[in-house]
Amino acid sequence: MSLALRIDAITYCSYWCSSGMIGRAEPTGVITMPTAQPSFRRIVDEIVEKIRTGELKPGDKLPSTSELADMYGVSNNTAYRALVILHDRNLIIGQQGRGTYVAERPAK
């Protein structure tokens, strides 16, 4: 890449990056995209918070995968991924044909 073209690319990137349109430009002219929280993480965090505060109690039924997907505006796969993480953390249990429920908290 010629020096003039490289300077133009850095100037272009710096303009768009400073305007918030795209990620920031590195001095090398490499653009890095901003890191946004993945959608499944947002679902997990919100359900964990509801469990922590008692809004969701042990035995409460959670919305189905498709209902969660609709509520959060995500795909069924994304909602399912969130439920898998919650299950792996032993925060929810699934009962085949009945639904997904908040797990009982272990006795301390």
Side-chain angles (χ1 to χ4, degrees):
M1 177 184 291
S2 74
L3 181 59
L5 184 55
R6 184 175 162 81
I7 291 171
D8 286 344
I10 292 172
T11 303
Y12 175 82
C13 291
S14 296
Y15 169 77
W16 286 104
C17 296
S18 66
S19 69
M21 298 297 285
I22 58 175
R24 69 186 210 292
E26 298 294 330
T28 60
V30 175
I31 298 173
T32 57
M33 298 306 290
T35 54
Q37 183 181 39
S39 298
F40 70 88
R41 175 63 51 206
R42 181 172 47 102
I43 297 169
V44 169
D45 290 346
E46 288 185 19
I47 292 175
V48 167
E49 183 63 16
K50 288 179 180 181
I51 292 171
R52 189 188 67 73
T53 62
E55 186 177 337
L56 286 173
K57 295 174 179 39
D60 284 354
K61 186 174 182 179
L62 294 178
S64 68
T65 303
S66 59
E67 289 170 336
L68 279 174
D70 289 342
M71 287 169 53
Y72 286 93
V74 297
S75 71
N76 283 349
N77 287 339
T78 299
Y80 177 77
R81 186 171 180 188
L83 292 176
V84 166
I85 291 170
L86 292 166
H87 184 270
D88 289 347
R89 293 183 182 178
N90 296 318
L91 294 172
I92 63 171
I93 54 172
Q95 297 178 359
Q96 187 66 35
R98 294 189 57 211
T100 304
Y101 298 83
V102 176
E104 296 292 329
R105 294 186 184 115
K108 292 183 178 182

